[in-house]
Amino acid sequence: MKEKVAVAMSGGVDSSLVATLLKEEGYEVIGITMRLSDEGRGFCLSPESDASMLSSVKDAKKVAEQIGIAHYVADFRDMFKTKVIDYFLDEYAAGRTPNPCVACNPQIKFGALFNKARELGADYFATGHYARVKKNEQGDYGLYMGKDNHKDQSYALYRIRRDMLPYIKFPLGERTKAETRQLAAKYGLVVAEKEESQEVCFVPDDDYKTMLKRFRPQCLKPGDIVDLSGKVLGRHNGVPLYTVGQRKGLGIAYPEPLYVVKLDMAKNQVVVGSNKDVMADSLIAERTNWLAFDELKEPIRVNARIRYGAREGQGTVTPLDGGRIKVAFDSPQRAVTPGQSVVLYSGEQVVGGGIIVE
């Protein structure tokens, strides 16, 4: 019997090509698309289901029909709202800067959707992420950066469970985005020319501030913008409307450029300083997840990435009490931001990471 692989199909070119390539390799392929909005509900256990579809679902269904595979729809509307959207808004309301993909991947895509795939009899679960899963000489599986440095998505995947790695496939990990486009055109996929969204999927026009004003207005209280000594330099309309490292939009006339250094929700203050004040020698992170081993027991050398798309900075990670870690950098890093993740690498392998708290 053929091995069965479920592909998380978003209706975009990446996951559509993944499904196409895996079918060509000889797998029995099924596609599953997540429904995350209010339009329609219900997990469709029949490929012939004609439940109302979102545009992304419709595009995925078109591709499934084109390449001849079964297609299912999984409704995670309630879970997505609670685990991702509410988390996103609550983190901003608390003065932190969240990464919604880091929250979504382990709980929704590689959590609930992975489980649905197994319920449907899949041996493997595949996505269109630009990352790689590889097995070393000892037979251990690890998560690695994607070949395309500009598209590498390993940062957002560091919270998936280590024991899931043997069952995950990332067929695009060895390819560049340009190669993906070329192959999609070669296969004549109906979504080959579909544009790629650069925005957070649930934030209209990538404007989180408008979402805060609508859904968390109580967190937006006018207050003072102060320097590191506490001197009042200006006023703000809500601490969560700012982020560490921000320069523009402060509305303060000053002899030298000012940057946001800290968000103080307790005092309802935005703290600003010079560019050197935004640099940090170290950070503390919690809620750690390890992919290269079960537990960090002693200090190790790592390359640490403090935000998606940033370059790694070399340093040493040390275990602390309560599962927390300290990362000490060889060279100061700019705008270490509470709420973001620090992801640790050894070469191209993801060692693990955690949520920055200070």
Side-chain angles (χ1 to χ4, degrees):
M1 293 180 63
K2 291 183 178 180
E3 290 186 301
K4 190 173 185 178
V5 56
V7 179
M9 297 182 68
S10 66
V13 62
D14 293 334
S15 57
S16 297
L17 181 63
V18 164
T20 305
L21 292 174
L22 289 172
K23 186 184 179 186
E24 190 171 78
E25 288 180 21
Y27 289 98
E28 178 188 351
V29 178
I30 61 172
I32 313 179
T33 303
M34 297 185 293
R35 181 178 292 136
L36 304 176
S37 82
D38 289 333
E39 294 186 45
R41 303 192 62 184
F43 181 65
C44 309
L45 291 176
S46 167
E48 291 76 30
S49 172
D50 59 356
S52 61
M53 301 290 182
L54 297 174
S55 60
S56 60
V57 178
K58 290 180 179 178
D59 285 343
K61 188 175 181 64
K62 288 178 183 177
V63 173
E65 291 175 348
Q66 180 183 7
I67 64 177
I69 64 172
H71 180 256
Y72 304 84
V73 179
D75 171 36
F76 298 136
R77 186 193 69 167
D78 293 338
M79 182 182 295
F80 189 74
K81 179 184 182 302
T82 301
K83 301 294 187 180
V84 181
I85 299 177
D86 286 346
Y87 150 82
F88 178 83
L89 294 170
D90 290 343
E91 284 290 283
Y92 269 117
R96 296 183 289 267
T97 304
N99 186 314
C101 292
V102 168
C104 179
N105 279 328
Q107 299 183 89
I108 310 296
K109 185 167 289 184
F110 293 90
L113 189 62
F114 179 91
N115 292 336
K116 289 295 185 185
R118 299 309 293 266
E119 288 176 15
L120 290 169
D123 300 294
Y124 299 101
F125 179 69
T127 73
H129 284 96
Y130 287 81
R132 292 176 290 171
V133 171
K134 297 195 297 183
K135 183 168 66 171
N136 63 20
E137 294 178 355
Q138 290 72 42
D140 297 322
Y141 287 81
L143 176 66
Y144 294 79
M145 294 179 180
K147 175 184 175 181
D148 189 336
N149 292 332
H150 298 291
K151 283 293 295 179
D152 169 48
Q153 293 172 301
S154 59
Y155 174 93
L157 296 169
Y158 84 94
R159 296 201 69 82
I160 62 178
R161 298 201 322 267
R162 186 184 179 203
D163 62 357
M164 293 173 60
L165 293 179
Y167 309 102
I168 293 174
K169 291 183 177 294
F170 296 132
L172 303 187
E174 298 288 350
R175 293 181 168 84
T176 65
K177 182 68 177 188
E179 291 170 344
T180 294
R181 287 285 187 190
Q182 291 170 358
L183 278 172
K186 173 186 173 182
Y187 285 110
L189 296 179
V190 293
V191 295
E193 301 300 323
K194 186 174 181 179
E195 293 186 6
E196 184 176 17
S197 174
Q198 302 295 328
E199 302 173 351
V200 177
C201 65
F202 59 87
V203 181
D205 301 318
D206 211 22
D207 183 6
Y208 80 92
K209 296 179 181 180
T210 296
M211 284 192 70
L212 282 176
K213 292 172 184 177
R214 178 180 177 186
F215 296 109
R216 297 293 187 276
Q218 67 276 11
C219 76
L220 303 178
K221 302 174 183 177
D224 293 328
I225 300 177
V226 303
D227 65 15
L228 291 170
S229 69
K231 180 181 178 181
V232 177
L233 301 180
R235 296 282 290 173
H236 66 75
N237 291 318
V239 171
L241 301 179
Y242 298 79
T243 188
V244 174
Q246 178 179 334
R247 175 184 174 184
K248 296 182 179 180
L250 299 179
I252 300 173
Y254 204 72
E256 62 183 65
L258 291 174
Y259 301 82
V260 175
V261 176
K262 179 183 178 182
L263 303 179
D264 192 332
M265 289 298 293
K267 295 182 179 179
N268 193 31
Q269 292 179 337
V270 175
V271 183
V272 297
S274 66
N275 188 50
K276 67 178 180 62
D277 296 321
V278 185
M279 308 301 289
D281 295 320
S282 63
L283 62 80
I284 304 295
E286 61 184 17
R287 295 174 57 197
T288 51
N289 186 61
W290 302 108
L291 289 173
F293 41 72
D294 292 329
E295 181 184 2
L296 180 68
K297 296 181 179 180
E298 59 186 18
I300 60 171
R301 295 286 294 171
V302 293
N303 298 322
R305 190 184 299 179
I306 60 172
R307 67 178 57 84
Y308 185 83
R311 292 183 178 181
E312 296 87 42
Q314 293 185 331
T316 301
V317 57
T318 303
L320 302 176
D321 293 338
R324 301 196 306 164
I325 57 172
K326 178 178 181 179
V327 181
F329 298 103
D330 295 353
S331 300
Q333 299 295 299
R334 189 177 190 281
V336 171
T337 306
Q340 290 284 290
S341 289
V342 57
V343 180
L344 312 173
Y345 295 83
S346 175
E348 295 185 334
Q349 183 177 9
V350 178
V351 173
I355 307 295
I356 299 170
V357 292
E358 59 180 88

